[in-house]
Amino acid sequence: MATLDPFAQTRTSTGIVPCKNVAAVHMETETGEKALVALSFIPEDPTHISPLTHKPGRASMDLVDLGASATVRTTPNGPVTQVSADSLLSFAKKHGPLFARTPFAWNEEGDNPAAGELFEEDAGAWVSAASMANLAIVAQQLSQGRLPLVTAGDVIGNLVRWHVTTPEIPEDPGFDLLIVARPVTPEYADWLGAPLFIRREELSDRIDYSFLLRGDEQNGTAESGTWLEVVVASFVHEITAADYRLLSQALGFSESLDKEVRTRLSLNLEKDEKPRKPNASLIVGASHLADTNLLGKPQSIEEEGGSELLASLVRALVAAHLRDAYVDVFSASDETGFLSFRSYLSWLWYDFSSGIDKARIKYCVRCGRAFSVVGHRGPDRVFCSDECRNASHNERSNRRRDELRHEFLEQNKTVQELARRYFPEEKKATGEKRVRQSLQSWPSLKHAVDDDIERNGWSSPLLQRCRNEKLSLSHLLTTKRRNQLERIRETVQDSQKTKAAHS
């Protein structure tokens, strides 16, 4: 019996569940660090939600923002996928929950969430979602030539391309295999239905078959646990029973997956044919590529057909993530037509697919995160967010400020020279005023003046120079020096009064 949607009254056709509060849930590790374990949400009351609440435009490409939370880092033990907890929290605050239902979400009692009450979503599922989104975005950029194919191994990670042939049939052209592996949670793999035959895709010069495979071990690499492997098998002709037999044995299809694929492709294998004994294997991700009398030749993704295989991989990922999409002919909307979505994550993938051919993704010049510029008008964007733009502006301003200060102290540049160089657009008086303000607020100059007074007394060359440049001594002198100077002034005044009395 299907579980009722607890947010049926508030979930939009795009799968969004509006929430009024989002927070991170952490757990302290053995090393004393805080690890993100969940994201908590307090949903809006149905009576407080406007019909216009959060209506995304077509092809807004928000999946790019989710995928930008993840990066692949190469280590001596293999590639590692890292996901920023801060980025996930920021995305959650902006968009709300990805699932809002079991097995990824639960209330405080650990049960299926209910409308109006606080619930949490598993951080592992969010990390898995970000990792798979990152894979699709990077693969799409590679396939479109926006990233050089030579970088594929670094930016994707566990990627293998093989050309497979069988020596028993010399004239057989064989087929290409592209396999990419990423770690996910078991629940995420279950949600996608792995192991799974995703789709058959007929192209102009080949026919591709896509699969999701699942492995629960990863030996000899930097990551372990449940692995999801996306496989594209590319043939120059329609797959035959013999081709499929080699493919299924090579990839170790389970009995259920083998039956599903044969049924969907209408393949009739001879019942009396005995399976061959494997004599070769290739470890890819968590599974083994093993086949009888199979010849496998590793290929570079840069060789002919590599871009097309990556494009097929992206389309397979999109198809696999539309698990929560369904047709509702009585509930059409501008965003989704007659489609509705049981989760926001499925909508994100559908939205990505809507603009996949015109995807325009740039990388932040400050932090390197990817961001979408689909539909952007006006000056070219170079930053992923206002935070990075403001931070970059501040960093640039700070560098100019530091250069100005050091040129004054170390190169003996005058205030007038510095104003002409650093504030050429300002009026002369305004530029010089800004230079003086920068110098007077510099602790290092204050310390340098104090040290020079200690060495040379009040005839200090640096102190005299600051006076000549009309810098404020009240800002540059320490309290101790200001008190000393005040006593000197009092002594001078007393001496002048005494002389005046005797004259």
Side-chain angles (χ1 to χ4, degrees):
M1 179 176 169
T3 303
L4 295 177
D5 184 358
F7 302 105
Q9 289 182 288
T10 59
R11 195 188 297 270
T12 68
S13 61
T14 59
I16 292 173
V17 175
C19 292
K20 57 187 176 184
N21 188 59
V22 181
V25 180
H26 294 96
M27 178 180 293
E28 189 170 321
T29 65
E30 294 180 356
T31 59
E33 298 178 338
K34 288 186 177 180
L36 180 69
V37 295
L39 293 164
S40 69
F41 301 87
I42 300 179
E44 289 280 7
D45 188 280
T47 61
H48 296 160
I49 298 177
S50 164
L52 299 178
T53 297
H54 197 102
K55 299 188 80 173
R58 293 293 289 158
S60 56
M61 305 292 280
D62 288 328
L63 187 73
V64 174
D65 293 333
L66 178 62
S69 303
T71 55
V72 174
R73 182 172 60 87
T74 302
T75 72
N77 294 324
V80 174
T81 306
Q82 295 182 319
V83 178
S84 165
D86 290 339
S87 295
L88 291 184
L89 179 60
S90 177
F91 187 92
K93 288 181 176 180
K94 181 178 179 181
H95 299 280
L98 290 179
F99 308 96
R101 60 183 177 82
T102 54
F104 306 106
W106 55 87
N107 61 17
E108 293 181 293
E109 285 73 40
D111 299 324
N112 199 38
E117 68 177 15
L118 181 146
F119 67 93
E120 296 178 357
E121 285 196 341
D122 177 38
W126 274 73
V127 169
S128 299
S131 177
M132 299 308 290
N134 170 267
L135 172 58
I137 292 159
V138 172
Q140 179 67 5
Q141 294 293 284
L142 289 164
S143 71
Q144 292 179 331
R146 297 181 184 275
L147 288 176
L149 283 175
V150 69
T151 65
D154 294 327
V155 296
I156 286 183
N158 291 284
L159 178 147
V160 174
R161 180 187 179 187
W162 271 53
H163 183 72
V164 182
T165 58
T166 173
E168 296 177 357
I169 312 176
E171 67 277 9
D172 183 5
F175 56 90
D176 284 341
L177 274 180
L178 180 68
I179 307 176
V180 179
R182 283 283 174 101
V184 297
T185 64
E187 293 79 14
Y188 197 88
D190 290 341
W191 177 65
L192 290 179
L196 169 74
F197 170 55
I198 304 175
R199 68 199 301 260
R200 172 187 179 275
E201 183 178 20
E202 192 166 341
L203 303 167
S204 60
D205 58 348
R206 69 186 199 280
I207 301 174
D208 290 351
Y209 299 85
S210 304
F211 307 88
L212 276 184
L213 303 182
R214 173 177 175 167
D216 293 317
E217 293 293 337
Q218 176 66 20
N219 297 318
T221 69
E223 296 179 297
S224 61
T226 298
W227 278 71
L228 197 66
E229 295 173 353
V230 190
V231 180
V232 177
S234 187
F235 295 81
V236 296
H237 54 69
E238 185 60 77
I239 190 171
T240 65
D243 290 330
Y244 173 70
R245 186 180 299 108
L246 290 177
L247 178 65
S248 65
Q249 291 178 353
L251 296 175
F253 286 172
S254 65
E255 184 176 344
S256 61
L257 179 59
D258 179 72
K259 182 178 180 181
E260 176 194 352
V261 176
R262 285 192 285 113
T263 300
R264 289 178 60 178
L265 297 182
S266 301
L267 292 172
N268 295 315
L269 303 184
E270 297 179 12
K271 295 182 179 179
D272 57 352
E273 181 157 353
K274 296 180 181 179
R276 303 164 182 170
K277 296 180 180 180
N279 64 1
S281 66
L282 166 69
I283 296 178
V284 182
S287 69
H288 294 267
L289 176 63
D291 197 83
T292 69
N293 299 319
L294 184 67
L295 293 181
K297 177 185 176 183
Q299 287 187 316
S300 167
I301 197 66
E302 302 167 61
E303 296 183 42
E304 183 179 359
S307 296
E308 291 78 6
L309 282 170
L310 286 168
S312 291
L313 176 85
V314 174
R315 292 189 288 272
L317 283 168
V318 170
H321 281 84
L322 298 181
R323 302 281 291 177
D324 283 340
Y326 63 98
V327 176
D328 186 350
V329 296
F330 299 108
S331 181
S333 72
D334 294 337
E335 293 78 37
T336 64
F338 291 106
L339 284 177
S340 289
F341 296 82
R342 296 185 181 90
S343 71
Y344 183 53
L345 181 59
S346 276
W347 153 257
L348 289 175
W349 282 89
Y350 173 74
D351 172 65
F352 176 69
S353 70
S354 300
I356 201 169
D357 292 330
K358 57 183 179 182
R360 294 178 57 224
I361 299 170
K362 298 187 71 174
Y363 295 85
C364 181
V365 296
R366 180 175 180 270
C367 71
R369 292 181 70 238
F371 62 92
S372 171
V373 289
V374 170
H376 174 72
R377 296 180 180 179
D380 286 345
R381 286 182 58 191
V382 295
F383 299 106
C384 64
S385 62
D386 290 341
E387 289 78 6
C388 269
R389 182 176 62 251
N390 294 335
S392 179
H393 173 75
N394 292 336
E395 290 165 359
R396 187 167 57 251
S397 298
N398 290 342
R399 283 196 301 271
R400 285 172 55 83
R401 177 204 63 197
D402 292 343
E403 290 171 0
L404 180 155
R405 288 171 167 176
H406 285 287
E407 286 184 21
F408 175 84
L409 186 59
E410 298 169 7
Q411 299 179 23
N412 295 321
K413 293 290 182 67
T414 67
V415 167
Q416 188 178 45
E417 290 173 330
L418 294 172
R420 282 200 300 265
R421 175 175 179 182
Y422 289 95
F423 306 106
E425 72 287 353
E426 303 280 5
K427 292 181 179 179
K428 180 176 180 294
T430 304
E432 292 180 1
K433 179 180 179 182
R434 294 184 65 178
V435 171
R436 291 188 181 98
Q437 289 174 338
S438 178
L439 294 174
Q440 289 163 179
S441 60
W442 188 23
S444 294
L445 180 57
K446 186 174 184 176
H447 295 152
V449 169
D450 190 68
D451 291 342
D452 204 38
I453 293 173
E454 187 69 27
R455 289 191 300 270
N456 300 299
W458 290 99
S459 59
S460 156
L462 181 56
L463 177 63
Q464 186 59 46
R465 183 172 165 230
C466 291
R467 280 174 170 167
N468 294 339
E469 294 290 357
K470 300 179 181 178
L471 299 185
S472 171
L473 295 185
S474 63
H475 289 86
L476 290 177
L477 295 179
T478 64
T479 302
K480 173 185 174 182
R481 297 303 180 190
R482 288 199 301 271
N483 291 337
Q484 289 177 349
L485 186 60
E486 184 61 30
R487 287 196 293 271
I488 292 172
R489 286 173 178 167
E490 291 176 354
T491 301
V492 171
Q493 290 174 356
D494 291 343
S495 176
Q496 290 174 344
K497 290 177 181 179
T498 302
K499 289 182 179 179
H502 288 85
S503 62

